[in-house]
Amino acid sequence: QVQLVESGGGLVQAGGSLRLSCAATRSTFSVSTIGWYRQGPLNQRELVADITSGGTTNYADSVKGRFTISRDNAVNTVYLQMNSLQPADTAVYYCQAETFGVITWGQGTQVTVSS
């Protein structure tokens, strides 16, 4: 099965930017739908953005215009570019792959936004 390794989290001031990466270990990544989820202090996990194998994207209303999801199949990696970050964006961010109905989660990476 595909395995996912996440990186890029950290501490940033409000208004700043971060780019998260999700790297996969198998070539089936190229036919997978990849989603970014987050889980904040309320202990809820919510969908932030996803991208299909064909490149179609969608975003949660709370991040539209600020976040961009993209993929580079040559290196089996999906990115989440996060701009204009707000304290409400503070959460653990998780990468999820769906490949022909099989779902795999990454380990998560912490994003903290200070005022």
Side-chain angles (χ1 to χ4, degrees):
Q1 305 293 83
V2 64
Q3 295 184 353
L4 306 175
V5 179
E6 301 169 341
S7 61
L11 175 65
V12 65
Q13 287 275 355
S17 298
L18 287 172
R19 187 176 73 164
L20 307 183
S21 297
C22 174
T25 61
R26 298 173 66 91
S27 61
T28 51
F29 178 89
S30 64
V31 294
S32 301
T33 294
I34 308 298
W36 283 100
Y37 293 73
R38 66 186 182 187
Q39 187 166 0
L42 292 176
N43 209 29
Q44 296 174 284
R45 188 171 296 189
E46 62 180 351
L47 177 67
V48 177
D50 60 28
I51 184 167
T52 70
S53 60
T56 301
T57 61
N58 80 94
Y59 299 89
D61 288 342
S62 59
V63 306
K64 285 181 180 177
R66 300 189 298 120
F67 291 10
T68 303
I69 188 170
S70 62
R71 66 193 301 159
D72 186 348
N73 290 341
V75 293
N76 291 342
T77 301
V78 163
Y79 305 97
L80 185 67
Q81 178 67 47
M82 305 186 295
N83 299 326
S84 301
L85 283 162
Q86 306 164 5
D89 297 316
T90 295
V92 179
Y93 284 71
Y94 297 90
C95 180
Q96 182 213 63
E98 181 177 3
T99 310
F100 302 118
V102 179
I103 296 175
T104 304
W105 291 91
Q107 82 286 355
T109 185
Q110 176 71 49
V111 172
T112 302
V113 184
S114 62
S115 60

